Amino acid sequence: MRTATTVEFSGAPGDVASFVVETERLGLDVCWVAEAWGADAPSALGYLAARTDRILLGSGILQVGTRTPVAVAQAAIALSNLSGGRFLLGLGASGPQVIEGLHGVQFARPLARVSETVDIVRQVFAGGKISHSGDEFQIPLPGGEGVPMRLSTRAEHTIPIYLAALSPAMLRLTGRIADGWLGTSFVPEGAADAYFAHLDRGLAAAGRTRADIDVCQGAEVAFAADEDELRGMLAGRRKELAFSLGGMGSSSTNYYNQAYGRQGWAEVAAQVRERWQSADREGAAALVTDDMVLATTLIGTEEMVRARLAVWRDAGVDTVRLYPAGDTPEAKLSTLGRAIELVRATG
């Protein structure tokens, strides 16, 4: 398996860049830059491209709907050319809270919007004149004075496109059109039905197999010295998971909650969401079990994490995206270094 991590430029840019430089020294393969509701990813990625030499850099993710597809392609080409071909374009639909609540763009027909965006982006990458007639995008705009154009710049390297997907429909689309899948809330024991059945249907529809796509899954990694320390760690993670199940998304749309529901926790996920939405944060966290935390993370003693990585590998994960625990950058780098060595030993 390859190793990756995700950073967000929410603090001092120099500190984040120094952290990424150190991850490259540790031998990390990929660094994804999150956008979420913080700093924009392309600016940060350009900065990191100038500070690094080997590591692959990806947008994890650019939110479809906040930029035109051609603007997405322009940024991707610039970042790929600046980095010497080290850029991976990660795209995702996000959710209604961010798209509507922050950007003021209607969160409608996300599947069609993502699909058409990828079509247009690849058309731009090919270097020809851009023309698209779809339900979401019309290029050139009909009835106006514009005619098809091509960019004055060219992609000097291949730019893989990854899609962030949790829902069955988005997973099928990912299988049909993407070079990689960015996933989360991943339970390897339930992944065959919850995730891979849908991804494989999309792959088969395009005449492809699992070997044609990079399965990139993320999880927090933390090492406990013993069972007592592990219990303390788990207690702190219950509220974080309760936030994902109850607070991520809008009052009616939460893809994380749905993903946990498809993997065996439908009843408790619904109860957590209900309590969170009613402002009972402590009650919501109390419903989260240790098994729910352990199933979707890489938390435990070193022996537990090593065994868990083997399960992830055998489930079909190609790239493991590690979110290292630690109160300081040095502590996070120490955790990440230990995890990288375990991944290498796992194969």
Side-chain angles (χ1 to χ4, degrees):
M1 290 186 292
R2 295 194 305 180
T3 56
T5 196
T6 297
V7 299
E8 184 178 348
F9 276 66
S10 56
D15 292 344
V16 180
S18 296
F19 179 85
V20 174
V21 168
E22 286 302 305
T23 69
E24 183 177 56
R25 185 185 61 79
L26 290 172
L28 192 77
D29 296 303
V30 188
C31 179
W32 296 94
V33 176
E35 200 165 65
W37 45 91
D40 76 289
S43 298
L45 285 159
Y47 183 39
L48 292 178
R51 294 285 304 272
T52 56
D53 300 305
R54 177 198 58 80
I55 196 169
L56 296 175
L57 301 169
S59 57
I61 57 169
L62 296 186
Q63 297 150 345
V64 171
T66 63
R67 301 170 178 85
T68 69
V70 174
V72 169
Q74 286 176 304
I77 290 172
L79 289 165
S80 179
N81 291 351
L82 284 169
S83 65
R86 293 186 287 129
F87 178 66
L88 311 173
L89 176 59
L91 300 173
S94 190
Q97 179 55 50
V98 172
I99 298 301
E100 296 183 354
L102 181 63
H103 293 285
V105 176
Q106 187 178 20
F107 186 74
R109 302 175 299 278
L111 192 73
R113 181 166 287 187
V114 170
S115 178
E116 290 190 29
T117 294
V118 173
D119 286 345
I120 296 166
V121 165
R122 286 215 167 105
Q123 195 178 147
V124 177
F125 288 171
K129 291 186 177 181
I130 305 156
S131 178
H132 179 86
S133 179
D135 294 330
E136 301 300 313
F137 301 103
Q138 299 277 321
I139 305 174
L141 196 65
E145 299 181 19
V147 297
M149 298 175 60
R150 60 167 56 89
L151 295 190
S152 60
T153 186
R154 297 287 183 272
E156 298 170 1
H157 312 273
T158 300
I159 305 174
I161 297 178
Y162 286 64
L163 293 182
L166 284 172
S167 72
M170 195 66 76
L171 284 162
R172 291 192 292 272
L173 178 67
T174 300
R176 288 201 307 272
I177 68 174
D179 301 298
W181 167 36
L182 293 173
T184 186
S185 304
F186 182 78
V187 180
E189 291 82 358
D193 293 331
Y195 292 128
F196 286 122
H198 309 291
L199 184 73
D200 290 342
R201 280 181 59 188
L203 288 165
R208 305 199 300 163
T209 69
R210 200 84 64 78
D212 297 310
I213 197 166
D214 177 27
V215 174
C216 179
Q217 291 295 329
E220 181 184 7
V221 58
F223 294 100
D226 50 38
E227 293 293 333
D228 288 339
E229 186 177 5
L230 177 58
R231 279 192 290 271
M233 285 183 174
L234 294 174
R237 269 64 176 188
R238 292 191 195 105
K239 192 165 187 178
E240 296 174 9
L241 182 50
F243 168 69
S244 294
L245 297 174
M248 287 291 285
S250 68
S251 59
S252 61
T253 304
N254 183 318
Y255 296 115
Y256 299 94
N257 191 290
Q258 294 168 11
Y260 271 83
R262 292 196 303 274
Q263 295 176 102
W265 289 291
E267 184 175 349
V268 66
Q271 292 172 350
V272 170
R273 180 178 182 177
E274 181 179 349
R275 293 212 179 179
W276 190 278
Q277 292 292 326
S278 64
D280 181 9
R281 307 294 195 252
E282 296 303 322
L287 292 171
V288 176
T289 67
D290 289 348
D291 286 344
M292 292 175 70
V293 177
L294 289 170
T296 51
T297 63
L298 295 166
I299 296 175
T301 63
E302 187 165 306
E303 292 75 17
M304 291 172 64
V305 173
R306 181 186 293 110
R308 201 66 185 153
L309 283 168
V311 174
W312 279 48
R313 177 203 60 202
D314 294 344
V317 175
D318 301 305
T319 302
V320 56
R321 198 165 67 255
L322 303 161
Y323 304 117
D327 295 328
T328 65
E330 293 76 19
K332 290 180 179 179
L333 286 167
S334 177
T335 299
L336 186 60
R338 290 177 69 183
I340 290 172
E341 290 302 317
L342 288 180
V343 174
R344 288 172 178 164
T346 302

